[in-house]
Amino acid sequence: MRSRQRMFAAVMRLLLKCLRLGRRRRFKLVWQVEQLWQYGHLCLHSLLYNSFTNGDVVLDSLFEPVYWLVDHVTRWFGVVFVALVIGLTSSIVAIVYICLLPLILQTYTPAWICWHLAYGHWNLIMIVFHYYMAITTSPGHPPQAKDDLTGVSICRKCIAPKPARTHHCSICNRCVLKMDHHCPWLNNCVGHYNHRYFFSFCLFMTMGCIYCSISSWEMFRDAYAAIERMKLLDKERLQVAANQTYYQTPPPTFSFHQRAFHKSVVYLWVLCSSVALALGALTLWHAALITRGETSIERHINKKERQRLQKKGKVFRNPYSYGSWDNWKVFLGVDVPRHWLTRVLLPSPHLPHGTGLSWDLPPCVTEQRTPLLAI
């Protein structure tokens, strides 16, 4: 009897030891996991901590993969966009020559014929010239050697000198002089040396689209009504074919040439009107920027600087603005009155004022510019 009690007591002591050991091990395992979690959290916090971090920085970091994708897709699809511009423009020109020009020559008076031929071909030449120059002209890049430049900063991305008004293009992966933006429709950056070509192309393309929309309005109405009649006749033809008897004849049909003509006129008017609205808004936006002596990037920078100085009771003055009229003269390269004809109304490959590295007072500006800050 005693031996059984001793054996039972020994078994119970062994079971209690196992339970204590398992509890200790479990507590030790939990403690180790907790210590590892705190250590990892401390390491992550020490690596990512920044006193200047805010919601905007976190949001930019989250969208960084999207920015990278847009940069690379825009770079490769630039050729497709350029081909699309050339293809659509060529289709409109072909429709004008094949469909509209014969009607103009047959129905208009000699004075209106001369007007349409002169204005239409002048506008087309200006569009082709400025688009070709915009896509083939380099916007300008700063030199890599800092010895040639004084008082410039260093770009953090390409580790190269960065003169005033110069910004880094993440798509081209280079700094661009007086950068406005990267245009996928040009497959090129818009900068110091091709900014005028870009704006002139937008302006003359808008004028050409408005001209085509207004000139073809009556033809568009007739063509749209003819297409509606085509649809109605097609329905009647199907009904006659389903219930055809010996005493019924099918309705008359439109020829392939007539169908193609009417659909081409509708396509021309819809495309030109859409482009005129969209591109016209963009042209007005850039015209306002040119009037203020700013680029698209500088507009955002100057807005923040204006708000910052306003809180201090100061007024921000754009150091690159010479007044509305002089800003246009500097942008278009008009030094003498005859340049309005030879450099604005006619194709001209003249260079802009300055080199884009320094911004001295252009010779066409008559008044001194205002200082950067005024109290």
Side-chain angles (χ1 to χ4, degrees), residues 98-110 113:
I98 296 174
C99 300
L100 271 63
L101 186 59
L103 290 178
I104 291 175
L105 296 177
Q106 293 174 6
T107 58
Y108 284 24
T109 61
I113 291 176

Side-chain angles (χ1 to χ4, degrees), residues 276-301:
L277 290 175
L279 193 60
L282 179 65
T283 304
L284 291 176
W285 163 256
H286 280 279
L289 293 177
I290 295 169
T291 304
R292 296 196 296 262
E294 297 176 333
T295 62
S296 298
I297 298 177
E298 291 174 349
R299 188 254 178 189
H300 298 285
I301 298 175

Side-chain angles (χ1 to χ4, degrees), residues 38-159:
Q38 293 178 357
Y39 177 74
H41 183 268
L42 180 62
C43 290
L44 187 65
H45 189 68
S46 62
L47 291 174
L48 301 180
Y49 176 76
N50 190 341
S51 59
F52 298 100
T53 300
N54 52 24
D56 294 336
V57 176
V58 174
L59 190 63
D60 289 340
S61 301
L62 294 176
F63 274 90
E64 191 63 29
V66 179
Y67 299 149
W68 180 90
L69 182 62
V70 170
D71 292 343
H72 286 73
V73 169
T74 304
R75 184 183 308 172
W76 288 107
F77 273 79
V79 179
V80 178
F81 292 151
V82 171
L84 187 62
V85 172
I86 297 174
L88 293 177
T89 306
S90 301
S91 66
I92 296 298
V93 173
I95 292 173
V96 170
Y97 274 104
I98 296 174
C99 300
L100 271 63
L101 186 59
L103 290 178
I104 291 175
L105 296 177
Q106 293 174 6
T107 58
Y108 284 24
T109 61
W112 277 110
I113 291 176
C114 293
W115 154 253
H116 282 289
L117 291 177
Y119 178 81
H121 286 89
W122 169 78
N123 203 342
L124 178 61
I125 291 173
M126 298 298 285
I127 291 173
V128 173
F129 171 78
H130 287 102
Y131 188 69
Y132 175 78
M133 295 299 294
I135 63 177
T136 57
T137 303
S138 173
H141 306 285
Q144 297 297 318
K146 192 177 179 180
D147 299 338
D148 302 333
L149 303 175
T150 57
V152 298
S153 59
I154 300 297
C155 178
R156 294 178 298 175
K157 296 183 179 180
C158 57
I159 316 300

Side-chain angles (χ1 to χ4, degrees), residues 154-318:
I154 300 297
C155 178
R156 294 178 298 175
K157 296 183 179 180
C158 57
I159 316 300
K162 186 179 179 181
R165 310 188 80 178
T166 300
H167 299 279
H168 186 88
C169 176
S170 58
I171 299 175
C172 299
N173 199 23
R174 294 189 66 179
C175 283
V176 177
L177 299 176
K178 192 192 169 187
M179 180 180 176
D180 188 89
H181 69 287
H182 184 94
C183 181
W185 300 102
L186 301 179
N187 194 28
N188 196 7
C189 271
V190 177
H192 179 62
Y193 288 104
N194 64 347
H195 194 181
R196 179 178 65 88
Y197 296 132
F198 164 77
F199 177 79
S200 298
F201 164 72
C202 293
L203 176 62
F204 288 113
M205 179 63 82
T206 303
M207 293 171 56
C209 291
I210 294 175
Y211 163 73
C212 290
S213 298
I214 295 176
S215 301
S216 62
W217 167 245
E218 294 296 333
M219 298 180 186
F220 165 74
R221 292 177 59 185
D222 296 338
Y224 186 80
I227 291 176
E228 292 298 321
R229 288 197 302 271
M230 291 180 195
K231 295 179 181 179
L232 183 61
L233 290 176
D234 289 338
K235 291 181 180 179
E236 292 180 359
R237 189 177 300 107
L238 291 175
Q239 293 176 359
V240 170
N243 304 318
Q244 189 171 13
T245 64
Y246 293 103
Y247 303 101
Q248 291 178 325
T249 57
T253 60
F254 284 88
S255 63
F256 173 78
H257 176 74
Q258 292 173 331
R259 291 175 179 271
F261 174 83
H262 295 313
K263 292 181 179 180
S264 298
V265 172
V266 172
Y267 163 78
L268 178 143
W269 191 87
V270 171
L271 179 61
C272 289
S273 301
S274 304
V275 173
L277 290 175
L279 193 60
L282 179 65
T283 304
L284 291 176
W285 163 256
H286 280 279
L289 293 177
I290 295 169
T291 304
R292 296 196 296 262
E294 297 176 333
T295 62
S296 298
I297 298 177
E298 291 174 349
R299 188 254 178 189
H300 298 285
I301 298 175
N302 293 346
K303 182 180 179 180
K304 293 182 179 180
E305 189 68 13
R306 189 178 294 108
Q307 293 174 351
R308 185 183 68 86
L309 294 177
Q310 188 177 6
K311 295 179 180 179
K312 298 182 178 181
K314 298 181 179 180
V315 179
F316 173 77
R317 303 294 183 186
N318 184 6

Side-chain angles (χ1 to χ4, degrees), residues 15-29:
L15 182 59
L16 290 176
K17 288 183 180 179
C18 290
L19 289 175
R20 289 197 196 98
L21 184 62
R23 186 179 299 176
R24 290 177 182 175
R25 288 181 178 179
R26 186 168 60 252
F27 288 157
K28 186 177 181 181
L29 181 62

